[in-house]
Amino acid sequence: MIDLHIHTTCSDGQFSPEETIRMAHQAGVTVAAVTDHDTVSGIVAASAAAVACGMTFFPGIEISVQGGMELHILGYGVHPDSDVLHQFCAKHAADRTERCGKMLAYLQKKGAAITLEDVRRCNQGKTSGRPHFARTLVELGYASSVQDAFEKYLTTPEFYARVERPKPTPEEGIRVIRSAGGVAVLAHPHQLKLENDALDALVAKLKVVGLQGIEAYYSRHTPEQTQFYLHLAEKYDLLYTCGSDFHGPVIKPEIHLGTGIDKNLCVTDAAITARLQAAIAAASRRS
Ligand code: AMP
Ligand code: FE
Ligand code: FE
Ligand code: ZN
């Protein structure tokens, strides 16, 4: 199976890069990419673990950009030692740190009095992602599940308007990925909650600024959505990819490595790997 969307403890996943790759191998994944949020700090360890398991591995990243509430761009084949990428990641790590203080003040105002120490205690010392705050809200009884915490506090209009950190434009995100030798792919298009024509128009716009692919197969896509995203890929001459968005059972309990939700993913299409490898090779020839 192919799984090109996986998170580790380097962002908001539950397992270390090595553990995650070993688990993917055991689950039957033969082609994998680690795509942590705004960081490539897990790539070297994940890549070594993948080589040891005999897996095909793509170094990856997932960048949150402006436009829509959750517009994410995946980068594949990025060089983890790229200066441009490092500067970008350092800036966004600092913005995440600043957002922590704002989130605590905002949650306090909403009656959920949690502290940074609470977040650290519930998340093995980690505080960088909204899922870390969501878990803490669940553990301290302010939400019934991670999903509930997101709905009540972390994806509200007020959160986006007053608390969310500054994000790069889609153009800038795509440019950073491509300057680091990577291939830029639109993540989980269903999350944009756009109707058919509106999504078509957005994909057209992103293509103009350098988008090269679309994550057509994804744990939360219905078969009809997947067909539509494959159609968009063909229409705009984009690659199509597949990914589970595995984070671990504590954060996304229903999502499994390689197989998705109730085995709805299980993608084995070798063309995905071959085309992505060709696009990455073309990118490195250009850079
Ligand atoms: P951050 O990068 O810290 O802003 O958080 C992004 C993470 O939040 C990703 O792992 C998303 O999957 C997760 N996320 C965003 N919206 C939701 C939601 N409604 N329910 C659960 N997780 C979400
Ligand atoms: Fe995440
Ligand atoms: Fe995402
Ligand atoms: Zn993700």
Side-chain angles (χ1 to χ4, degrees):
M1 288 181 293
I2 306 168
D3 191 340
L4 302 178
H5 192 154
I6 299 176
H7 294 270
T8 76
T9 44
C10 292
S11 62
D12 53 4
Q14 198 181 328
F15 304 103
S16 72
E18 296 89 337
E19 283 174 309
T20 310
I21 289 294
R22 275 199 297 274
M23 288 164 65
H25 175 63
Q26 276 157 16
V29 173
T30 50
V31 181
V34 160
T35 54
D36 276 308
H37 298 286
D38 302 315
T39 180
V40 285
S41 58
I43 293 307
V44 170
S47 171
V51 168
C53 295
M55 289 161 82
T56 300
F57 179 79
F58 293 102
I61 190 167
E62 181 174 22
I63 292 178
S64 309
V65 299
Q66 294 167 24
M69 289 180 294
E70 300 290 339
L71 174 46
H72 298 176
I73 308 286
L74 295 157
Y76 293 114
V78 287
H79 298 298
D81 48 5
S82 149
D83 284 340
V84 175
L85 199 55
H86 272 261
Q87 277 164 25
F88 175 90
C89 293
K91 180 200 180 309
H92 291 285
D95 289 344
R96 279 176 182 277
T97 304
E98 196 176 327
R99 185 182 67 171
C100 283
K102 287 164 85 177
M103 276 205 278
L104 292 173
Y106 159 79
L107 290 169
Q108 190 114 35
K109 223 182 75 196
K110 298 278 152 202
I114 65 169
T115 65
L116 205 55
E117 285 62 46
D118 293 330
V119 184
R120 287 211 176 92
R121 194 179 59 251
C122 297
N123 294 282
Q124 292 114 27
K126 303 216 70 171
T127 60
S128 65
R130 273 179 293 163
H132 298 127
F133 284 73
R135 270 198 67 187
T136 311
L137 290 164
V138 174
E139 296 214 3
L140 299 192
Y142 294 110
S144 60
S145 64
V146 165
Q147 189 61 36
D148 183 45
F150 268 94
E151 279 164 23
K152 264 195 191 140
Y153 305 105
L154 304 174
T155 51
T156 62
E158 189 183 353
F159 171 85
Y160 287 113
R162 301 202 25 242
V163 186
E164 187 53 307
R165 65 201 165 85
K167 290 184 202 159
T169 61
E171 243 164 300
E172 194 185 338
I174 291 170
R175 192 172 57 239
V176 166
I177 287 168
R178 297 194 63 164
S179 355
V183 168
V185 173
L186 175 63
H188 42 57
H190 86 109
Q191 208 166 282
L192 295 162
K193 300 192 169 69
L194 293 175
E195 297 303 320
N196 290 351
D197 286 351
L199 182 64
D200 187 312
L202 177 68
V203 169
K205 267 210 276 192
L206 293 174
K207 162 100 185 179
V208 170
V209 294
L211 188 77
Q212 294 154 287
I214 180 161
E215 189 177 44
Y217 297 95
Y218 181 76
S219 298
R220 295 196 202 282
H221 289 168
T222 64
E224 294 71 30
Q225 285 174 323
T226 298
Q227 282 314 307
F228 180 59
Y229 306 145
L230 288 170
H231 155 78
L232 286 181
E234 194 177 350
K235 177 172 175 185
Y236 290 104
D237 192 21
L238 296 166
L239 301 166
Y240 57 88
T241 65
C242 69
S244 66
D245 212 356
F246 175 84
H247 283 66
V250 170
I251 294 168
K252 299 195 180 185
E254 66 285 22
I255 295 184
H256 300 276
L257 284 160
T259 60
I261 300 175
D262 295 333
K263 303 200 167 45
N264 68 346
L265 209 56
C266 303
V267 178
T268 57
D269 180 357
I272 292 178
T273 313
R275 288 176 188 157
L276 187 54
Q277 279 168 335
I280 293 169
S284 81
R285 278 197 298 277
R286 266 197 306 274
S287 65

